Structure formats: structure tokens, C-alpha cells
């Protein structure tokens, strides 16, 4: 039996990047996968999976819009009657030095990366509590929790907040047999990483990507499927005794004790 067989799983930010990878891997492991995203592209991503024979549903929803989130979750319950796993993946980053960052950019991060996770979790949790089981997996990052580069104050703040949220919620919902864990990726090759590379060096973003890869002990950026496999583990029964914790998936990028890591 596949590890996500008969499971109903929601992935936010599933149109592209890590969310798409997570949705694909969950589907491959047997889950009925609900892809939720603000982008219309979510329909194409869901169609790709349906064409490969997987049971999916696409929800075009902005995680910051509480009413839309609630309506989306209601649709899932109407059709599938329960939610076994929620992967809170939707997130954004815009680089700007702290002194130059306007409040709008700060709130853009806080609204999507923190309030978005809050909203979808709030709408989903009652259904998990009713079923006396559930898995919540939150995408944090090594950024803000372990490391940081200039320009990331808003993003880093949100990713550290997600860890606090994970631990505190895990404590509250443990009696209901619901686990809450966080994934802390290093650099994963997604549209977000490509966009950060472009913001850092508009003339040669590839140089930025290559530079990042050279600083990773495993010598490359992560793949979305690798994040997907970790999410699938945490969303499955295999992780039944793991809660309130974080797992780093970074190719060893936070490991080096000295600056030179290439050899
Ligand atoms: N790529 C990395 O290197 C990396 C590293 C660490 C953590 N992460 C985390 O992984 C998650 C996904 O990142 P990614 O690199 O795949 O990003 P991405 O930009 O490639 O994809 C993000 C997805 O989220 C969706 N989204 C954005 N705002 C939304 C909203 N308001 N409502 C619903 N969906 C929305 C986008 O449409 C997109 O499909 C984020 O939480 C990010 O912080 C990424």
C-alpha cells in the first residue's frame, strides 16, 4: 500500500515550485491532492496531474482572503468529507534592505507567509479535530531560523514565525492526534529562487545560482521532488510520533564551520 493511499491532502501554493513538487509526490504516493493557489496556473498544474491518472482538485484561492479560504475548504469537505493532511507551502519573498523596505512590502510578506498559513490552518483544523487525526506541514526555511543574507529581514521574520506557530500549535492539538511539523529548506530551484537570483544580479542570474550551488556541500540546489518526498513523509502515517519539530533539507548548506566549503 502506498504511503498516502486513501488520504486527502491540501497543498497551498501548488501551481509551481515546491508546492507543485509536493503535490506531484503526494499524488504519486496515492493521495487525492487538492491544489490551492492564487494563480490561475493552478488549473494547468492540476490538469497535468489528472492527465497522469491522479485524483486532484484545483482551488483558485488567495490564502490572505479568509472568506475565499473558508469557501475553498468547504468545497473540499463537501466533495471528500475530510482532510487528512495540510501542507502550508504558499510563500513569497522580495529582497530589500531593512532601511529601504516600505511597510507595504513588509506587510506583503507578513500577510501571505504568516496570515496565509494562519487562515488555511484555522479553516482546516476543525475538520481534523472532528476526525481525531491530521497532519499539518508548514514550509519554513533555513532563512530566519538558522541563517540570513542582506535584504531578507521581512522574509526571515516570517519564516522564523512559522517555526513558533508550528511548535505552539503542535502542543495544542496533540491530544487530538494531529501533528504539526515544519520543513526548513535551503535553496531549492523554483521560480522563487530564480526570481531572487534575478533581483541579486539582473544581468547574470545564472551566476548567482552557480554561486549558491558552489557553497552547498552537496554541490547543487535542491529539487522540488526532494522537498516533496519529505513533505509526503511528514504527511503520512510513517511520521506518527514526530510533532512540533523541524527538519532541515539543505544539501548541507548550513553545515560548514569555515568559509571554504568547496573541498
Ligand atoms: N525555493 C527555495 O529556495 C525555498 C527555500 C526555503 C523555503 N522555501 C519556501 O517554500 C515555499 C514555496 O516556495 P517556492 O520557492 O516554491 O516559491 P514560488 O514563488 O516558486 O511558488 C510559490 C507559489 O505560491 C503561490 N502563492 C503566492 N502567493 C499566494 C497567495 N496569496 N495565495 C495562494 N498562493 C500564493 C504562487 O502563486 C506560487 O504558485 C515558500 O513558503 C518558501 O518560503 C523556498
Amino acid at each position: 500500500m502506498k504511503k498516502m493511499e486513501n488520504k486527502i491532502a491540501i497543498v497551498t501554493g501548488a501551481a509551481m515550485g515546491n508546492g507543485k513538487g509536493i503535490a506531484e509526490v503526494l499524488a504519486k504516493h496515492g493521495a487525492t491532492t487538492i491544489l490551492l493557489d492564487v494563480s490561475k496556473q493552478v488549473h494547468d498544474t492540476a490538469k497535468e496531474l489528472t492527465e497522469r491518472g491522479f485524483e486532484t482538485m484545483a482551488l483558485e484561492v488567495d490564502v490572505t482572503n479568509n472568506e475565499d479560504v473558508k469557501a475553498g475548504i468547504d468545497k473540499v469537505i463537501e466533495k471528500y468529507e475530510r482532510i487528512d493532511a495540510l501542507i502550508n507551502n504558499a510563500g513569497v519573498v522580495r529582497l530589500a534592505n531593512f532601511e529601504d523596505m516600505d511597510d507595504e512590502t513588509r506587510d506583503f510578506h507578513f500577510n501571505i507567509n504568516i496570515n496565509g498559513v494562519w487562515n488555511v490552518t484555522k479553516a482546516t483544523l476543525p475538520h481534523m479535530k472532528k476526525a481525531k487525526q491530521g497532519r499539518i506541514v508548514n514550509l519554513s526555511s533555513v532563512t530566519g531560523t538558522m541563517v540570513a543574507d542582506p535584504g531578507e529581514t521581512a522574509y526571515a521574520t516570517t519564516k522564523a514565525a512559522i517555526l513558533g506557530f508550528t511548535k505552539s500549535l503542535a502542543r495544542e492539538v496533540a491530544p487530538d492526534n494531529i501533528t504539526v511539523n515544519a520543513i526548513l529548506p535551503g535553496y531549492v530551484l523554483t521560480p522563487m529562487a530564480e526570481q531572487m537570483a534575478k533581483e541579486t544580479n539582473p544581468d547574470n542570474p545564472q551566476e548567482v545560482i552557480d554561486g549558491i550551488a558552489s557553497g552547498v556541500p552537496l554541490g547543487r540546489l535542491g529539487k522540488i521532488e526532494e522537498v516533496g518526498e519529505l513533505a509526503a513523509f511528514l504527511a503520512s502515517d510513517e511520521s506518527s510520533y514526530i510533532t512540533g519539530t523541524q527538519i532541515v533539507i539543505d544539501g548541507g548548506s548550513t553545515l560548514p564551520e569555515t568559509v571554504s566549503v568547496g573541498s
Side-chain angles (χ1 to χ4, degrees):
M1 178 150 152
K2 293 177 182 170
K3 76 173 96 173
M4 290 300 288
E5 199 93 50
N6 301 324
K7 304 279 190 197
I8 313 295
I10 299 179
V11 184
T12 72
M16 65 190 88
N18 281 328
K20 183 179 182 188
I22 293 167
E24 278 177 354
V25 174
L26 288 173
K28 195 187 79 185
H29 287 302
T32 292
T33 313
I34 291 92
L35 286 74
L36 185 157
D37 205 293
V38 70
S39 162
K40 285 193 187 322
Q41 204 177 317
V42 72
H43 299 288
D44 300 329
T45 309
K47 193 162 163 257
E48 271 177 48
L49 291 180
T50 310
E51 282 170 359
R52 285 165 59 189
F54 300 126
E55 170 79 16
T56 61
M57 178 193 250
L59 292 175
E60 198 181 315
V61 168
D62 181 341
V63 293
T64 67
N65 184 326
N66 226 342
E67 291 312 309
D68 285 1
V69 167
K70 282 186 206 150
I73 298 300
D74 284 350
K75 269 190 209 163
V76 178
I77 293 297
E78 212 174 281
K79 182 152 187 202
Y80 297 110
E81 295 180 353
R82 57 176 217 283
I83 298 163
D84 298 302
L86 166 64
I87 320 297
N88 281 310
N89 164 81
V92 290
V93 64
R94 298 282 181 275
L95 298 179
N97 281 337
F98 178 67
E99 286 175 295
D100 304 326
M101 192 177 302
D102 52 41
D103 292 355
E104 214 170 53
T105 308
R106 178 200 61 198
D107 292 343
F108 175 69
H109 288 88
F110 289 11
N111 280 335
I112 297 172
N113 297 6
I114 301 177
N115 297 346
V117 172
W118 189 283
N119 293 341
V120 186
T121 305
K122 194 120 189 181
T124 304
L125 196 59
H127 304 289
M128 290 184 170
K129 284 186 103 163
K130 206 170 143 200
K132 284 265 172 211
Q133 59 149 12
R135 298 270 182 272
I136 299 172
V137 181
N138 299 321
L139 269 287
S140 173
S141 175
V142 294
T143 305
T145 57
M146 301 176 77
V147 294
D149 278 332
E152 295 179 336
T153 46
Y155 180 73
T157 301
T158 64
K159 292 291 140 180
I162 290 308
L163 205 47
F165 175 76
T166 299
K167 288 181 186 294
S168 188
L169 185 64
R171 188 75 176 85
E172 280 187 27
V173 300
D176 295 295
N177 193 29
I178 299 167
T179 66
V180 192
N181 290 292
I183 293 179
L184 277 58
Y187 277 102
V188 183
L189 196 56
T190 67
M192 178 190 276
E194 285 164 355
Q195 173 208 318
M196 280 177 89
K198 262 188 226 149
E199 286 175 30
T200 307
N201 184 351
D203 296 330
N204 195 350
Q206 189 56 45
E207 197 175 83
V208 179
I209 301 278
D210 293 344
I212 293 167
S214 72
V216 179
L218 285 182
R220 61 176 176 84
L221 275 67
K223 299 177 190 161
I224 56 173
E225 297 78 13
E226 292 170 320
V227 176
E229 290 293 350
L230 178 54
F233 167 68
L234 290 173
S236 74
D237 294 339
E238 289 177 5
S239 64
S240 48
Y241 202 54
I242 301 176
T243 196
T245 196
Q246 65 269 19
I247 301 185
V248 173
I249 173 165
D250 71 346
S253 69
T254 52
L255 202 54
E257 199 170 351
T258 54
V259 176
S260 171
V261 294
S263 53

